[in-house]
Amino acid sequence: MYLHRSSYNTGSDGFVYPDNFKFTKESLADAIGIEEDEAERILGMAGKSTHSAWLTFMYPRLMLARDLLSDDGVIFISIDDNEQANLKLICDDIFGEGNFEGHIHWRRRHNQPNDKTKMIGLVAEHIIVYAKDSTFLKKIGVGKVELTGDFSNPDNDPKGDWASKPWKVGSDQSGSRYIIITPTGKILDEEWMGDEDSYNTFLKEGRIYFPNDGDGMPRKKYYKKERLEEGQCATNWWAHDIFGHNQGANNCITELFGFKNAFSNPKPVELLKGVVNLSSITDDFYVLDFFSGSATAAHAVMELNANDANIEKNRGKRKYIMVQLPETIEKDKPAYKEGYYTIDEIGRARIDKAALKIKEETGADIDYGYKLYRLSQPSDKTLDKIVAFDPHEILILEDMTQSFEFGDVPGRYTILTTWMNMDGYGLTSKAGKIRLHQYEAYVIYDSLYIIDPGLATDDVMEMIKKVEDGSLNISRIVLYPYSIIFNVLHELKKNIANLRNNRNIVVVERY
Protein backbone atom coordinates (compact mmCIF):
# COMPACT_ATOMS: atom_id res chain seq x y z
CA MET A 1 0.00 0.00 0.00
CA TYR A 2 1.36 3.41 -0.93
CA LEU A 3 -0.14 6.61 0.42
CA HIS A 4 1.49 9.79 -0.73
CA ARG A 5 0.81 13.46 -0.58
CA SER A 6 3.67 15.90 -0.22
CA SER A 7 1.73 18.27 2.01
CA TYR A 8 -1.79 19.21 3.00
CA ASN A 9 -3.31 22.62 3.44
CA THR A 10 -5.96 23.85 5.85
CA GLY A 11 -8.65 24.58 3.31
CA SER A 12 -7.24 27.76 1.80
CA ASP A 13 -5.55 26.82 -1.46
CA GLY A 14 -8.17 25.00 -3.50
CA PHE A 15 -7.28 21.54 -2.20
CA VAL A 16 -10.23 19.33 -3.18
CA TYR A 17 -10.14 17.00 -0.18
CA PRO A 18 -12.30 18.10 2.77
CA ASP A 19 -9.58 18.99 5.25
CA ASN A 20 -10.90 22.26 6.69
CA PHE A 21 -12.32 20.57 9.80
CA LYS A 22 -13.51 22.32 12.92
CA PHE A 23 -14.78 19.32 14.86
CA THR A 24 -16.22 18.92 18.28
CA LYS A 25 -15.69 15.51 19.84
CA GLU A 26 -19.35 14.71 19.07
CA SER A 27 -19.15 15.65 15.39
CA LEU A 28 -15.81 13.89 14.88
CA ALA A 29 -17.12 10.71 16.53
CA ASP A 30 -20.13 10.77 14.22
CA ALA A 31 -18.04 11.54 11.12
CA ILE A 32 -15.60 8.62 11.41
CA GLY A 33 -17.61 6.17 13.49
CA ILE A 34 -15.72 6.13 16.80
CA GLU A 35 -16.57 6.66 20.46
CA GLU A 36 -16.60 10.20 21.81
CA ASP A 37 -13.73 9.55 24.24
CA GLU A 38 -11.58 8.34 21.31
CA ALA A 39 -12.56 11.44 19.31
CA GLU A 40 -11.59 13.64 22.25
CA ARG A 41 -8.19 11.93 22.43
CA ILE A 42 -7.59 12.53 18.71
CA LEU A 43 -8.51 16.19 19.02
CA GLY A 44 -6.20 16.37 22.01
CA MET A 45 -3.32 15.18 19.82
CA ALA A 46 -3.92 18.14 17.54
CA GLY A 47 -4.26 20.60 20.41
CA LYS A 48 -4.34 24.24 19.39
CA SER A 49 -1.75 23.72 16.67
CA THR A 50 -2.25 25.03 13.14
CA HIS A 51 -1.69 21.42 12.10
CA SER A 52 -4.97 20.26 13.66
CA ALA A 53 -6.90 20.24 10.37
CA TRP A 54 -4.24 18.10 8.76
CA LEU A 55 -4.25 15.65 11.67
CA THR A 56 -8.01 15.35 11.57
CA PHE A 57 -7.91 14.83 7.81
CA MET A 58 -5.33 12.06 8.00
CA TYR A 59 -6.43 10.12 11.07
CA PRO A 60 -9.56 8.40 9.67
CA ARG A 61 -7.82 7.70 6.37
CA LEU A 62 -4.93 5.99 8.11
CA MET A 63 -7.35 3.97 10.24
CA LEU A 64 -9.00 2.78 7.04
CA ALA A 65 -5.58 2.00 5.55
CA ARG A 66 -4.72 -0.15 8.57
CA ASP A 67 -7.95 -2.11 8.23
CA LEU A 68 -7.34 -2.67 4.51
CA LEU A 69 -3.86 -4.10 5.02
CA SER A 70 -3.41 -7.86 4.93
CA ASP A 71 -1.48 -9.53 7.76
CA ASP A 72 1.69 -9.29 5.66
CA GLY A 73 0.83 -5.82 4.41
CA VAL A 74 3.06 -2.74 4.53
CA ILE A 75 2.15 0.92 4.10
CA PHE A 76 4.57 3.50 2.68
CA ILE A 77 3.57 7.12 3.32
CA SER A 78 5.36 9.84 1.38
CA ILE A 79 5.42 13.23 3.07
CA ASP A 80 7.48 16.43 3.06
CA ASP A 81 9.02 18.31 5.99
CA ASN A 82 5.84 20.17 6.97
CA GLU A 83 4.02 17.28 8.62
CA GLN A 84 6.47 14.37 8.88
CA ALA A 85 6.81 14.74 12.67
CA ASN A 86 3.04 14.72 13.17
CA LEU A 87 2.67 11.83 10.75
CA LYS A 88 5.02 9.70 12.85
CA LEU A 89 3.00 10.43 15.99
CA ILE A 90 -0.38 9.47 14.55
CA CYS A 91 1.06 6.39 12.81
CA ASP A 92 2.53 5.20 16.12
CA ASP A 93 -0.94 5.64 17.59
CA ILE A 94 -2.77 3.83 14.78
CA PHE A 95 -0.34 1.09 13.73
CA GLY A 96 1.59 0.75 17.00
CA GLU A 97 5.19 1.77 17.63
CA GLY A 98 6.28 -1.85 17.36
CA ASN A 99 5.13 -1.97 13.73
CA PHE A 100 7.30 0.97 12.68
CA GLU A 101 9.62 -0.40 9.99
CA GLY A 102 11.66 2.66 9.20
CA HIS A 103 11.99 6.18 7.88
CA ILE A 104 13.28 6.27 4.31
CA HIS A 105 14.99 9.42 3.10
CA TRP A 106 14.63 9.66 -0.67
CA ARG A 107 16.78 12.20 -2.53
CA ARG A 108 14.16 13.62 -4.88
CA ARG A 109 16.48 16.17 -6.50
CA HIS A 110 19.46 15.33 -8.66
CA ASN A 111 21.00 18.78 -8.28
CA GLN A 112 21.82 21.12 -5.40
CA PRO A 113 19.15 23.77 -4.67
CA ASN A 114 20.12 27.40 -4.32
CA ASP A 115 17.40 28.83 -2.09
CA LYS A 116 18.73 31.99 -0.48
CA THR A 117 15.78 32.15 1.93
CA LYS A 118 16.81 28.92 3.66
CA MET A 119 19.87 27.77 5.51
CA ILE A 120 19.31 24.14 4.45
CA GLY A 121 18.10 23.30 0.98
CA LEU A 122 15.42 20.62 0.63
CA VAL A 123 16.66 17.73 -1.49
CA ALA A 124 15.07 14.79 0.35
CA GLU A 125 11.53 13.58 0.89
CA HIS A 126 10.37 11.34 3.71
CA ILE A 127 8.73 7.93 3.34
CA ILE A 128 7.40 6.54 6.62
CA VAL A 129 6.94 2.76 6.63
CA TYR A 130 4.69 0.68 8.91
CA ALA A 131 3.72 -2.97 8.84
CA LYS A 132 0.34 -4.38 9.77
CA ASP A 133 2.20 -6.95 11.90
CA SER A 134 5.99 -6.69 12.01
CA THR A 135 6.40 -10.04 13.77
CA PHE A 136 4.43 -11.89 11.11
CA LEU A 137 6.17 -9.92 8.38
CA LYS A 138 9.64 -11.04 9.45
CA LYS A 139 8.48 -14.64 9.87
CA ILE A 140 7.49 -14.94 6.20
CA GLY A 141 10.44 -12.95 4.85
CA VAL A 142 8.86 -9.74 3.54
CA GLY A 143 11.07 -6.68 3.60
CA LYS A 144 14.28 -8.05 2.11
CA VAL A 145 16.22 -6.82 -0.90
CA GLU A 146 18.69 -8.41 -3.28
CA LEU A 147 22.19 -8.98 -1.94
CA THR A 148 24.65 -6.17 -2.57
CA GLY A 149 27.96 -7.75 -1.44
CA ASP A 150 30.79 -8.70 -3.78
CA PHE A 151 30.71 -12.47 -3.32
CA SER A 152 33.51 -14.64 -4.70
CA ASN A 153 35.64 -17.60 -3.63
CA PRO A 154 39.34 -16.77 -4.10
CA ASP A 155 40.51 -19.36 -1.54
CA ASN A 156 38.30 -22.21 -2.87
CA ASP A 157 36.33 -22.35 0.37
CA PRO A 158 34.14 -25.51 0.23
CA LYS A 159 31.22 -23.51 1.70
CA GLY A 160 31.04 -21.47 -1.51
CA ASP A 161 31.22 -17.80 -2.44
CA TRP A 162 31.68 -15.30 0.37
CA ALA A 163 32.14 -11.64 1.22
CA SER A 164 33.83 -10.30 4.35
CA LYS A 165 33.67 -7.54 6.94
CA PRO A 166 36.43 -6.25 9.26
CA TRP A 167 36.70 -8.10 12.56
CA LYS A 168 38.30 -4.98 14.06
CA VAL A 169 35.76 -2.48 15.44
CA GLY A 170 35.52 1.02 14.07
CA SER A 171 36.55 4.13 15.95
CA ASP A 172 32.98 4.83 17.05
CA GLN A 173 32.30 1.28 18.30
CA SER A 174 33.19 -0.78 21.33
CA GLY A 175 34.23 -4.43 21.39
CA SER A 176 36.47 -6.90 23.19
CA ARG A 177 40.24 -6.50 23.46
CA TYR A 178 42.52 -9.51 23.06
CA ILE A 179 45.54 -10.61 21.01
CA ILE A 180 45.27 -12.15 17.54
CA ILE A 181 48.28 -13.60 15.75
CA THR A 182 48.15 -13.56 11.95
CA PRO A 183 49.29 -16.56 9.85
CA THR A 184 52.55 -14.65 9.16
CA GLY A 185 53.20 -14.24 12.92
CA LYS A 186 52.20 -10.60 13.31
CA ILE A 187 50.81 -9.83 16.79
CA LEU A 188 47.65 -7.67 16.81
CA ASP A 189 46.43 -6.19 20.09
CA GLU A 190 43.18 -4.41 19.18
CA GLU A 191 39.48 -3.99 19.96
CA TRP A 192 37.65 -6.75 18.06
CA MET A 193 34.04 -7.20 16.95
CA GLY A 194 33.41 -10.31 19.06
CA ASP A 195 34.83 -11.91 22.18
CA GLU A 196 37.83 -14.26 22.06
CA ASP A 197 35.75 -17.45 22.28
CA SER A 198 33.68 -16.40 19.28
CA TYR A 199 36.83 -15.57 17.35
CA ASN A 200 38.37 -18.98 18.06
CA THR A 201 35.15 -20.72 17.00
CA PHE A 202 35.01 -18.80 13.71
CA LEU A 203 38.72 -19.47 13.15
CA LYS A 204 38.22 -23.24 13.49
CA GLU A 205 35.23 -23.07 11.09
CA GLY A 206 37.36 -21.27 8.50
CA ARG A 207 35.26 -18.11 8.75
CA ILE A 208 38.19 -15.80 9.54
CA TYR A 209 40.11 -14.49 6.56
CA PHE A 210 43.47 -12.67 6.60
CA PRO A 211 44.09 -10.64 3.40
CA ASN A 212 47.50 -9.75 1.95
CA ASP A 213 48.66 -13.36 1.97
CA GLY A 214 47.90 -13.79 5.68
CA ASP A 215 49.52 -10.56 6.83
CA GLY A 216 46.46 -8.27 6.89
CA MET A 217 43.84 -7.49 9.53
CA PRO A 218 41.35 -10.32 10.12
CA ARG A 219 37.94 -10.25 8.46
CA LYS A 220 34.90 -12.43 9.05
CA LYS A 221 33.42 -14.32 6.12
CA TYR A 222 29.71 -14.06 5.24
CA TYR A 223 28.66 -16.85 2.91
CA LYS A 224 26.39 -16.02 0.01
CA LYS A 225 24.18 -19.08 0.41
CA GLU A 226 23.48 -18.10 4.05
CA ARG A 227 22.75 -14.50 3.11
CA LEU A 228 20.36 -15.65 0.38
CA GLU A 229 18.42 -17.64 2.97
CA GLU A 230 18.41 -14.79 5.49
CA GLY A 231 17.83 -11.97 3.02
CA GLN A 232 19.25 -8.49 3.32
CA CYS A 233 17.39 -5.55 4.76
CA ALA A 234 17.07 -2.31 2.83
CA THR A 235 18.89 0.91 3.64
CA ASN A 236 16.95 3.99 4.78
CA TRP A 237 18.81 6.25 2.28
CA TRP A 238 17.39 5.96 -1.22
CA ALA A 239 19.67 7.79 -3.62
CA HIS A 240 18.40 9.54 -6.75
CA ASP A 241 20.67 7.58 -9.09
CA ILE A 242 18.93 4.32 -8.09
CA PHE A 243 15.42 5.37 -7.10
CA GLY A 244 14.90 8.24 -9.52
CA HIS A 245 14.37 11.94 -9.04
CA ASN A 246 11.83 14.64 -9.87
CA GLN A 247 13.44 15.73 -13.13
CA GLY A 248 13.62 12.16 -14.39
CA ALA A 249 9.97 11.63 -13.48
CA ASN A 250 9.01 14.78 -15.41
CA ASN A 251 11.01 13.59 -18.41
CA CYS A 252 9.21 10.23 -18.29
CA ILE A 253 5.80 11.93 -18.38
CA THR A 254 6.90 14.22 -21.19
CA GLU A 255 8.08 11.25 -23.26
CA LEU A 256 4.82 9.38 -22.74
CA PHE A 257 2.44 12.28 -23.45
CA GLY A 258 4.48 14.18 -26.03
CA PHE A 259 4.23 17.56 -24.29
CA LYS A 260 5.85 19.15 -21.25
CA ASN A 261 4.27 19.63 -17.82
CA ALA A 262 1.47 17.12 -18.33
CA PHE A 263 1.48 16.59 -14.57
CA SER A 264 3.11 18.48 -11.70
CA ASN A 265 5.69 16.70 -9.55
CA PRO A 266 5.05 13.06 -10.49
CA LYS A 267 6.89 10.38 -8.57
CA PRO A 268 9.55 8.46 -10.51
CA VAL A 269 8.81 4.89 -11.60
CA GLU A 270 12.09 3.77 -10.02
CA LEU A 271 10.92 4.90 -6.58
CA LEU A 272 7.66 2.99 -6.77
CA LYS A 273 9.43 -0.10 -8.10
CA GLY A 274 11.67 0.06 -5.04
CA VAL A 275 8.63 0.27 -2.76
CA VAL A 276 6.90 -2.67 -4.47
CA ASN A 277 10.02 -4.83 -4.53
CA LEU A 278 10.63 -4.25 -0.85
CA SER A 279 7.11 -5.13 0.24
CA SER A 280 6.10 -8.01 -2.05
CA ILE A 281 6.78 -11.72 -1.61
CA THR A 282 3.82 -13.57 -3.17
CA ASP A 283 2.19 -13.75 -6.59
CA ASP A 284 -1.13 -12.58 -5.20
CA PHE A 285 -0.05 -9.07 -4.31
CA TYR A 286 -1.98 -5.81 -4.51
CA VAL A 287 -0.57 -2.29 -4.59
CA LEU A 288 -3.10 0.30 -3.46
CA ASP A 289 -2.33 3.98 -4.05
CA PHE A 290 -4.71 6.28 -2.17
CA PHE A 291 -3.64 9.37 -4.12
CA SER A 292 -2.92 7.98 -7.57
CA GLY A 293 -2.18 11.23 -9.38
CA SER A 294 -0.46 10.34 -12.65
CA ALA A 295 -0.64 6.60 -11.80
CA THR A 296 3.10 6.07 -11.37
CA ALA A 297 2.38 3.07 -9.14
CA ALA A 298 0.47 1.33 -11.94
CA HIS A 299 3.32 2.05 -14.36
CA ALA A 300 5.82 0.57 -11.87
CA VAL A 301 3.75 -2.59 -11.34
CA MET A 302 3.50 -3.22 -15.08
CA GLU A 303 7.27 -2.78 -15.54
CA LEU A 304 8.01 -5.21 -12.71
CA ASN A 305 5.51 -7.75 -14.04
CA ALA A 306 7.00 -7.53 -17.52
CA ASN A 307 10.51 -8.01 -16.15
CA ASP A 308 9.45 -11.02 -14.08
CA ALA A 309 7.70 -12.62 -17.03
CA ASN A 310 10.76 -12.28 -19.25
CA ILE A 311 13.23 -13.78 -16.79
CA GLU A 312 10.87 -16.68 -16.05
CA LYS A 313 10.35 -15.89 -12.40
CA ASN A 314 6.83 -17.18 -12.94
CA ARG A 315 5.46 -14.11 -11.22
CA GLY A 316 4.40 -11.04 -13.16
CA LYS A 317 0.97 -11.17 -11.49
CA ARG A 318 1.04 -8.18 -9.16
CA LYS A 319 -2.14 -6.11 -9.28
CA TYR A 320 -2.76 -2.44 -8.63
CA ILE A 321 -5.66 -0.37 -7.36
CA MET A 322 -5.45 3.35 -8.11
CA VAL A 323 -7.72 5.78 -6.25
CA GLN A 324 -8.09 9.34 -7.50
CA LEU A 325 -10.75 12.03 -7.18
CA PRO A 326 -11.67 13.70 -10.49
CA GLU A 327 -9.82 16.89 -9.58
CA THR A 328 -10.37 19.56 -12.20
CA ILE A 329 -7.31 20.68 -14.17
CA GLU A 330 -7.02 24.45 -14.49
CA LYS A 331 -7.68 25.82 -17.97
CA ASP A 332 -4.26 27.44 -18.30
CA LYS A 333 -2.41 24.16 -17.72
CA PRO A 334 -0.81 22.31 -20.67
CA ALA A 335 -2.80 19.14 -19.94
CA TYR A 336 -6.12 21.00 -20.22
CA LYS A 337 -5.07 22.49 -23.55
CA GLU A 338 -4.29 18.96 -24.76
CA GLY A 339 -7.78 17.73 -23.86
CA TYR A 340 -7.32 16.39 -20.32
CA TYR A 341 -9.81 17.99 -17.95
CA THR A 342 -9.40 15.99 -14.72
CA ILE A 343 -6.47 14.36 -12.91
CA ASP A 344 -7.95 10.87 -13.22
CA GLU A 345 -7.98 11.26 -17.02
CA ILE A 346 -4.23 11.89 -16.90
CA GLY A 347 -3.75 8.76 -14.77
CA ARG A 348 -5.77 6.51 -17.10
CA ALA A 349 -4.00 7.86 -20.16
CA ARG A 350 -0.64 7.27 -18.49
CA ILE A 351 -1.55 3.61 -17.84
CA ASP A 352 -2.57 3.14 -21.49
CA LYS A 353 0.56 4.81 -22.85
CA ALA A 354 2.92 3.06 -20.42
CA ALA A 355 1.34 -0.33 -21.19
CA LEU A 356 1.86 0.18 -24.92
CA LYS A 357 5.49 1.25 -24.40
CA ILE A 358 6.30 -1.66 -22.07
CA LYS A 359 4.74 -4.19 -24.43
CA GLU A 360 6.66 -2.79 -27.40
CA GLU A 361 9.96 -2.82 -25.49
CA THR A 362 9.66 -6.17 -23.70
CA GLY A 363 7.08 -8.24 -25.55
CA ALA A 364 6.10 -9.63 -22.16
CA ASP A 365 2.88 -11.65 -22.02
CA ILE A 366 1.23 -9.99 -19.04
CA ASP A 367 -2.12 -8.38 -18.31
CA TYR A 368 -1.90 -4.76 -19.48
CA GLY A 369 -5.57 -4.00 -18.93
CA TYR A 370 -7.53 -2.50 -16.06
CA LYS A 371 -11.09 -1.97 -14.94
CA LEU A 372 -12.49 1.48 -14.23
CA TYR A 373 -14.82 1.97 -11.27
CA ARG A 374 -16.44 5.23 -10.21
CA LEU A 375 -18.04 5.90 -6.85
CA SER A 376 -21.39 7.64 -7.03
CA GLN A 377 -23.68 8.71 -4.20
CA PRO A 378 -27.38 8.16 -4.98
CA SER A 379 -29.30 11.42 -5.12
CA ASP A 380 -31.99 12.28 -2.59
CA LYS A 381 -34.52 11.98 -5.40
CA THR A 382 -33.43 8.39 -6.09
CA LEU A 383 -33.54 7.45 -2.42
CA ASP A 384 -36.95 9.05 -1.95
CA LYS A 385 -38.30 7.11 -4.94
CA ILE A 386 -37.04 3.82 -3.49
CA VAL A 387 -38.45 4.53 -0.03
CA ALA A 388 -41.83 5.47 -1.49
CA PHE A 389 -42.00 2.35 -3.70
CA ASP A 390 -44.99 0.12 -2.99
CA PRO A 391 -44.01 -3.57 -3.37
CA HIS A 392 -47.66 -4.62 -3.27
CA GLU A 393 -48.40 -3.04 -6.66
CA ILE A 394 -49.36 -5.73 -9.16
CA LEU A 395 -47.57 -4.02 -12.05
CA ILE A 396 -44.13 -2.43 -12.09
CA LEU A 397 -44.30 0.37 -14.60
CA GLU A 398 -40.72 1.63 -14.17
CA ASP A 399 -37.30 -0.03 -14.32
CA MET A 400 -36.04 0.78 -10.83
CA THR A 401 -32.45 -0.08 -11.80
CA GLN A 402 -32.29 2.99 -14.04
CA SER A 403 -31.90 5.22 -11.01
CA PHE A 404 -28.36 3.89 -10.64
CA GLU A 405 -27.19 4.50 -14.18
CA PHE A 406 -23.79 6.16 -14.21
CA GLY A 407 -22.71 7.68 -17.50
CA ASP A 408 -23.05 4.93 -20.08
CA VAL A 409 -23.08 2.16 -17.44
CA PRO A 410 -26.56 0.60 -16.95
CA GLY A 411 -27.93 0.64 -13.43
CA ARG A 412 -28.09 -3.17 -13.26
CA TYR A 413 -24.30 -3.36 -13.54
CA THR A 414 -23.83 -0.70 -10.88
CA ILE A 415 -26.00 -2.72 -8.49
CA LEU A 416 -24.37 -6.05 -9.40
CA THR A 417 -20.82 -4.71 -9.01
CA THR A 418 -21.67 -3.11 -5.67
CA TRP A 419 -23.28 -6.26 -4.32
CA MET A 420 -20.55 -8.59 -5.51
CA ASN A 421 -17.99 -6.41 -3.77
CA MET A 422 -20.13 -6.33 -0.61
CA ASP A 423 -20.31 -10.13 -0.69
CA GLY A 424 -16.54 -10.54 -0.82
CA TYR A 425 -16.11 -11.46 -4.49
CA GLY A 426 -14.06 -8.34 -5.14
CA LEU A 427 -13.96 -5.95 -8.05
CA THR A 428 -12.20 -8.24 -10.52
CA SER A 429 -14.53 -11.26 -10.36
CA LYS A 430 -16.86 -11.89 -13.29
CA ALA A 431 -20.45 -13.03 -12.91
CA GLY A 432 -21.94 -15.37 -15.47
CA LYS A 433 -25.52 -15.52 -16.68
CA ILE A 434 -28.01 -18.37 -16.44
CA ARG A 435 -31.27 -18.54 -18.35
CA LEU A 436 -34.27 -19.67 -16.34
CA HIS A 437 -37.36 -19.69 -18.58
CA GLN A 438 -37.12 -16.38 -20.41
CA TYR A 439 -35.36 -14.41 -17.67
CA GLU A 440 -31.54 -14.26 -17.31
CA ALA A 441 -30.09 -14.05 -13.80
CA TYR A 442 -26.48 -13.46 -12.73
CA VAL A 443 -24.55 -16.21 -10.99
CA ILE A 444 -21.13 -16.29 -9.35
CA TYR A 445 -19.94 -19.27 -7.35
CA ASP A 446 -22.88 -20.20 -5.08
CA SER A 447 -24.76 -16.90 -5.33
CA LEU A 448 -27.61 -16.06 -7.73
CA TYR A 449 -28.40 -12.36 -8.27
CA ILE A 450 -31.82 -11.25 -9.50
CA ILE A 451 -31.67 -7.56 -10.37
CA ASP A 452 -33.37 -6.82 -13.69
CA PRO A 453 -37.15 -6.51 -13.94
CA GLY A 454 -39.11 -9.19 -15.77
CA LEU A 455 -38.95 -12.23 -13.49
CA ALA A 456 -42.14 -14.26 -14.03
CA THR A 457 -43.78 -17.31 -12.48
CA ASP A 458 -42.39 -19.58 -15.23
CA ASP A 459 -38.89 -18.35 -14.39
CA VAL A 460 -39.36 -19.15 -10.72
CA MET A 461 -40.55 -22.65 -11.55
CA GLU A 462 -37.56 -23.22 -13.87
CA MET A 463 -35.23 -22.00 -11.15
CA ILE A 464 -36.71 -24.47 -8.64
CA LYS A 465 -36.36 -27.29 -11.18
CA LYS A 466 -32.67 -26.48 -11.80
CA VAL A 467 -31.95 -26.26 -8.09
CA GLU A 468 -33.61 -29.58 -7.33
CA ASP A 469 -31.98 -31.47 -10.22
CA GLY A 470 -28.56 -30.04 -9.33
CA SER A 471 -27.94 -28.07 -12.53
CA LEU A 472 -28.04 -24.86 -10.48
CA ASN A 473 -25.87 -25.30 -7.39
CA ILE A 474 -26.42 -22.25 -5.20
CA SER A 475 -26.73 -21.56 -1.49
CA ARG A 476 -28.35 -18.16 -1.64
CA ILE A 477 -30.38 -15.83 -3.83
CA VAL A 478 -29.77 -12.07 -3.60
CA LEU A 479 -32.57 -10.07 -5.15
CA TYR A 480 -33.65 -6.50 -5.83
CA PRO A 481 -37.30 -6.45 -4.76
CA TYR A 482 -38.05 -3.21 -6.65
CA SER A 483 -37.72 -5.20 -9.89
CA ILE A 484 -40.03 -8.07 -8.90
CA ILE A 485 -43.83 -8.09 -8.87
CA PHE A 486 -45.15 -8.84 -5.38
CA ASN A 487 -46.93 -12.11 -6.17
CA VAL A 488 -43.87 -13.45 -8.05
CA LEU A 489 -41.64 -12.57 -5.11
CA HIS A 490 -44.06 -14.38 -2.81
CA GLU A 491 -43.99 -17.48 -5.02
CA LEU A 492 -40.19 -17.46 -5.12
CA LYS A 493 -39.82 -17.31 -1.34
CA LYS A 494 -42.52 -19.92 -0.77
CA ASN A 495 -40.98 -22.43 -3.21
CA ILE A 496 -37.43 -21.89 -1.96
CA ALA A 497 -38.65 -22.60 1.58
CA ASN A 498 -40.09 -25.98 0.47
CA LEU A 499 -37.34 -27.50 -1.65
CA ARG A 500 -37.04 -31.26 -1.96
CA ASN A 501 -34.13 -33.20 -0.49
CA ASN A 502 -33.93 -30.76 2.43
CA ARG A 503 -32.07 -28.21 0.32
CA ASN A 504 -31.48 -24.97 2.19
CA ILE A 505 -31.15 -21.73 0.20
CA VAL A 506 -31.14 -18.31 1.83
CA VAL A 507 -33.09 -15.52 0.15
CA VAL A 508 -31.57 -12.05 0.73
CA GLU A 509 -33.68 -9.00 -0.14
CA ARG A 510 -31.72 -5.77 -0.59
CA TYR A 511 -33.76 -2.58 -0.65
Side-chain angles (χ1 to χ4, degrees):
M1 182 177 293
Y2 183 65
L3 191 155
H4 68 91
R5 192 82 187 185
S6 293
S7 61
Y8 299 88
N9 76 337
T10 55
S12 61
D13 65 355
F15 180 50
V16 299
Y17 294 89
D19 62 343
N20 189 14
F21 295 119
K22 296 186 182 299
F23 279 121
T24 63
K25 65 178 181 181
E26 293 82 9
S27 60
L28 178 60
D30 182 64
I32 63 177
I34 59 176
E35 299 296 328
E36 288 185 7
D37 57 349
E38 177 70 1
E40 186 173 24
R41 187 181 65 80
I42 295 170
L43 294 174
M45 291 175 65
K48 297 181 180 179
S49 165
T50 56
H51 302 281
S52 60
W54 183 86
L55 286 164
T56 313
F57 168 78
M58 286 299 297
Y59 201 96
R61 286 160 174 79
L62 288 170
M63 289 179 66
L64 174 62
R66 179 198 62 192
D67 293 341
L68 287 173
L69 283 174
S70 59
D71 290 340
D72 60 351
V74 186
I75 183 169
F76 294 76
I77 312 168
S78 178
I79 199 75
D80 67 8
D81 282 2
N82 293 328
E83 297 290 356
Q84 60 90 12
N86 287 321
L87 177 64
K88 178 67 167 60
L89 289 175
I90 59 175
C91 283
D92 281 346
D93 189 73
I94 293 170
F95 295 97
E97 292 183 46
N99 290 318
F100 174 61
E101 288 293 330
H103 181 163
I104 297 170
H105 302 265
W106 164 56
R107 179 167 178 131
R108 61 186 177 88
R109 296 188 59 156
H110 69 294
N111 56 4
Q112 182 64 30
N114 186 24
D115 189 344
K116 296 180 179 179
T117 66
K118 293 181 178 293
M119 183 172 71
I120 299 174
L122 300 179
V123 298
E125 191 166 299
H126 310 275
I127 302 175
I128 308 297
V129 186
Y130 281 81
K132 177 68 170 289
D133 184 343
S134 282
T135 302
F136 181 72
L137 198 70
K138 300 304 180 294
K139 187 182 298 184
I140 63 173
V142 174
K144 301 299 180 183
V145 297
E146 293 184 5
L147 300 183
T148 57
D150 183 15
F151 293 89
S152 62
N153 193 1
D155 61 349
N156 296 317
D157 191 317
K159 296 186 180 69
D161 290 355
W162 50 270
S164 63
K165 291 184 179 180
W167 187 249
K168 183 181 182 299
V169 300
S171 58
D172 59 342
Q173 299 172 307
S174 61
S176 302
R177 193 177 191 93
Y178 49 91
I179 292 175
I180 289 179
I181 301 176
T182 71
T184 60
K186 184 186 293 185
I187 297 175
L188 305 173
D189 187 1
E190 304 281 354
E191 289 274 339
W192 306 108
M193 288 295 294
D195 59 37
E196 190 168 10
D197 288 342
S198 297
Y199 168 77
N200 288 327
T201 298
F202 291 140
L203 186 65
K204 290 178 181 178
E205 293 176 351
R207 287 177 175 264
I208 299 297
Y209 165 67
F210 292 90
N212 301 328
D213 297 324
D215 196 49
M217 297 292 285
R219 301 175 67 88
K220 182 187 175 184
K221 291 182 178 181
Y222 294 85
Y223 291 100
K224 184 174 183 178
K225 62 181 180 181
E226 294 174 345
R227 281 291 181 258
L228 286 171
E229 293 172 359
E230 296 171 0
Q232 179 172 296
C233 64
T235 175
N236 68 345
W237 172 249
W238 289 23
H240 66 284
D241 56 336
I242 299 175
F243 296 99
H245 49 77
N246 287 349
Q247 185 58 52
N250 284 324
N251 293 341
C252 176
I253 288 286
T254 299
E255 181 184 352
L256 285 174
F257 282 84
F259 62 93
K260 291 184 177 181
N261 302 317
F263 189 83
S264 299
N265 300 317
K267 291 290 188 292
V269 174
E270 297 86 352
L271 177 68
L272 272 296
K273 286 167 71 173
V275 165
V276 174
N277 271 332
L278 184 58
S279 55
S280 63
I281 193 170
T282 65
D283 290 345
D284 188 16
F285 179 79
Y286 285 86
V287 176
L288 168 60
D289 191 340
F290 273 95
F291 299 98
S292 172
S294 67
T296 303
H299 189 162
V301 167
M302 288 190 291
E303 279 200 8
L304 288 170
N305 284 347
N307 181 64
D308 285 353
N310 280 337
I311 61 176
E312 298 182 354
K313 275 191 176 180
N314 199 27
R315 294 176 69 181
K317 299 178 182 177
R318 302 174 187 87
K319 305 174 185 69
Y320 59 80
I321 302 172
M322 302 288 104
V323 181
Q324 178 60 50
L325 286 180
E327 299 180 45
T328 302
I329 297 173
E330 296 176 11
K331 293 183 178 181
D332 61 344
K333 298 295 184 182
Y336 189 94
K337 295 175 182 178
E338 293 289 336
Y340 301 99
Y341 305 123
T342 59
I343 295 296
D344 59 298
E345 290 180 10
I346 290 283
R348 297 200 304 276
R350 200 264 181 83
I351 295 173
D352 293 335
K353 294 174 184 295
L356 181 61
K357 183 173 185 290
I358 293 167
K359 189 172 184 178
E360 289 177 347
E361 292 178 349
T362 69
D365 183 18
I366 62 171
D367 186 352
Y368 293 98
Y370 63 89
K371 285 188 175 183
L372 174 63
Y373 293 93
R374 293 185 175 94
L375 294 179
S376 179
Q377 184 71 27
S379 67
D380 291 339
K381 180 180 179 181
T382 296
L383 297 175
D384 290 343
K385 185 188 297 184
I386 290 175
V387 170
F389 179 80
D390 184 358
H392 293 85
E393 289 288 339
I394 299 300
L395 297 176
I396 295 179
L397 301 178
E398 183 179 355
D399 183 351
M400 293 293 283
T401 69
Q402 293 178 354
S403 300
F404 298 99
E405 290 180 355
F406 193 82
D408 58 353
V409 178
R412 64 177 70 89
Y413 293 130
T414 301
I415 297 171
L416 178 63
T417 299
T418 302
W419 285 3
M420 284 172 55
N421 197 47
M422 287 172 56
D423 294 337
Y425 298 120
L427 294 173
T428 58
S429 297
K430 294 182 180 180
K433 286 187 176 182
I434 184 169
R435 178 173 290 277
L436 302 177
H437 180 64
Q438 294 294 330
Y439 184 89
E440 285 189 332
Y442 304 96
V443 62
I444 179 170
Y445 297 106
D446 62 343
S447 295
L448 185 77
Y449 292 94
I450 298 176
I451 298 172
D452 295 293
L455 189 75
T457 297
D458 289 343
D459 299 302
V460 173
M461 294 300 102
E462 184 65 21
M463 179 200 307
I464 299 302
K465 177 183 176 182
K466 289 180 179 296
V467 168
E468 291 184 337
D469 68 17
S471 59
L472 178 58
N473 187 19
I474 57 174
S475 64
R476 66 180 194 142
I477 299 170
V478 184
L479 51 86
Y480 188 56
Y482 301 105
S483 292
I484 307 175
I485 298 173
F486 179 75
N487 65 300
V488 174
L489 178 59
H490 178 72
E491 290 172 0
L492 186 153
K493 291 193 287 187
K494 180 179 178 181
N495 281 280
I496 288 294
N498 294 285
L499 291 169
R500 291 186 309 213
N501 303 324
N502 295 318
R503 289 291 306 274
N504 183 27
I505 295 178
V506 177
V507 176
V508 180
E509 299 178 55
R510 286 183 177 156
Y511 289 92

